[in-house]
Amino acid sequence: MAGLSKRPIRFGWDAYARLDHLERSMMDYAEFSFQAMVVAAVVYLFAGAAHTVEWAAAKNATAEPPKKRRRVKVLVGAAGGRDEMGDEAGLEARAGDGGARRETENDRLRVDQFGRVGLAFTTVAFFVHLAAVVTRGLAADRAPWANMHEFTATSLALLVGAYLVMNLKWSMRWLGLFVALFSSIGLGLAVTVFYVDVSPLVPSLHSTWFMFHISAAMASGSAFTVGAIASVLYIVRERAERRGEVRGYLAKLPDSRAIDTFAYRCAAFAFPMFTFVIAAGAIWAQYAWGRYWGWDPKETWSLITWAVYAAYLHARSTAGWRGTPAAIISIIGGLLFWWNYVGINLFVQGLHSYAK
């Protein structure tokens, strides 16, 4: 009996030791996650710097005009001329050598080199960033989406991952500068202004709808952000095309019509998910607060954002409304999404204040 009386005491100490080891492991995960996010933010900044140099190095680039082939007279020595099919664009280029310096092969190689460096930095930063998100989840023993720090970090990882996949399939390095700088600034805010220690979920988040609602919000927000960035580039490129001044890195971008189509597809991809976000949030609100809709500030601004994108997509699909006005609506929609996420959480008191 004496031996049996000692066993609970010994197992009790073992349990305390295991619990202490688990707590230390969670603290180690949380510290690693924080440090990795800082490193990723810095590396994203390096990527943005490399892409900035890439844009600057393309100062001599010009958009290639469509080549016209017609019969021109080519002078041969002093004997006179010869009629043959000539490349008018090529002749004009040679005739205009006294003007602005044109992009050479060395210029193109230098631009490509800095672009590849920026892409390499972005890729390294993404994997460090992904490790930070995973270890934050391990530290919290749940999905790392419960507050602004975690939501920002995970959303940006999704954004960069989508960019890298798109670049691999469709060569979209022209988005690299904006993605890298946006991610660096976002992670910088995540580890400073938005940072909170690891903590359990508040009672209202204990729901199966937590995963569906938040994951769809992150995916749709990432697509809306990329679409808004593309809309800004569309306005700049389209204005340069109208003026006939497509030079510098603008000449490396797709034409304005292709950029406009890409922005539209981003919104069309994200809109059904954002609709699901609102619907799932209403069901979750019924579970957590006993009502489907209460005009909470975040609910209200989510509906406003949804209405803006609904109008944008409806106008594009029915009236064929394109160009700068449509791009401006796309940009406004992206700004509204981030105001609803950052501004409402930080500056407006509501039922979603737990997300701070």
Side-chain angles (χ1 to χ4, degrees):
M1 294 295 293
L4 291 176
S5 64
K6 294 180 181 179
R7 291 184 65 183
I9 298 176
R10 185 168 62 251
F11 277 115
W13 281 111
D14 290 344
Y16 282 125
R18 287 195 297 271
L19 180 61
D20 180 67
H21 176 72
L22 178 61
E23 290 178 348
R24 290 178 181 273
S25 298
M26 293 175 66
M27 291 175 61
D28 290 341
Y29 281 136
E31 180 63 22
F32 176 86
S33 174
F34 177 83
Q35 297 296 338
M37 285 189 195
V38 172
V39 171
V42 173
V43 179
Y44 281 133
L45 187 61
F46 288 159
H51 282 301
T52 301
V53 177
E54 176 193 14
W55 279 58
K59 61 182 179 180
N60 297 316
T62 55
E64 295 184 2
K67 294 183 178 180
K68 302 177 183 178
R69 297 187 63 84
R70 63 178 177 86
R71 195 169 296 277
V72 296
K73 178 164 288 191
V74 180
L75 296 178
V76 181
R82 181 178 79 244
D83 283 345
E84 64 178 27
M85 289 296 292
D87 188 340
E88 183 182 13
L91 291 175
E92 290 175 354
R94 289 193 293 274
D97 284 343
R101 188 171 78 86
R102 293 180 178 274
E103 186 182 37
T104 65
E105 184 63 26
N106 287 336
D107 292 334
R108 285 190 287 272
L109 290 175
R110 185 164 59 251
V111 170
D112 185 66
Q113 181 181 16
F114 284 118
R116 289 178 181 273
V117 170
L119 183 61
F121 274 130
T122 303
T123 304
V124 172
F126 168 71
F127 284 108
V128 176
H129 186 175
L130 188 62
V133 171
V134 171
T135 50
R136 176 74 180 197
L138 292 174
D141 196 28
R142 53 170 170 74
W145 309 334
N147 49 62
M148 291 186 69
H149 167 76
E150 296 171 357
F151 184 93
T152 301
T154 308
S155 296
L156 290 175
L158 188 62
L159 170 66
V160 178
Y163 158 70
L164 292 175
V165 171
M166 288 190 297
N167 182 72
L168 188 64
K169 295 189 66 175
W170 299 300
S171 186
M172 303 189 69
R173 203 173 66 200
W174 50 274
L175 281 171
L177 171 63
F178 305 95
V179 170
L181 292 182
F182 187 82
S183 300
S184 179
I185 294 171
L187 275 187
L189 290 172
V191 298
T192 53
V193 178
F194 302 158
Y195 184 78
V196 293
D197 291 328
V198 175
S199 59
L201 290 175
V202 297
S204 61
L205 296 183
H206 286 282
S207 168
T208 55
W209 290 100
F210 170 66
M211 298 283 290
F212 301 115
H213 177 73
I214 302 299
S215 59
M218 291 188 297
S220 58
S222 298
F224 283 148
T225 301
V226 173
I229 292 172
S231 294
V232 172
L233 291 176
Y234 163 79
I235 292 176
V236 177
R237 167 81 191 206
E238 192 272 337
R239 183 171 300 178
E241 288 177 354
R242 278 192 286 109
R243 295 177 178 177
E245 299 175 352
V246 183
R247 58 173 60 95
Y249 200 82
L250 288 180
K252 302 290 185 181
L253 300 181
D255 63 78
S256 59
R257 181 175 297 182
I259 298 176
D260 186 44
T261 300
F262 173 72
Y264 168 74
R265 288 176 178 173
C266 286
F269 170 78
F271 184 74
M273 286 190 292
F274 193 65
T275 303
F276 174 78
V277 168
I278 295 177
I283 297 173
W284 190 1
Q286 169 64 20
Y287 169 83
W289 301 313
R291 87 298 186 273
Y292 290 101
W293 193 267
W295 297 104
D296 180 73
K298 186 169 287 292
E299 295 171 351
T300 303
W301 282 96
S302 294
L303 184 60
I304 293 172
T305 304
W306 182 90
V308 168
Y309 275 109
Y312 168 75
L313 294 173
H314 178 73
R316 285 291 302 257
S317 60
T318 58
W321 199 32
R322 303 172 184 271
T324 300
I328 291 175
I329 294 179
S330 173
I331 295 168
I332 291 174
L335 292 175
L336 284 174
F337 177 88
W338 284 101
W339 160 253
N340 188 29
Y341 169 57
V342 178
I344 296 300
N345 278 6
L346 291 181
F347 306 120
V348 180
Q349 189 68 23
L351 291 173
H352 289 80
S353 297
Y354 59 80
K356 294 181 180 179

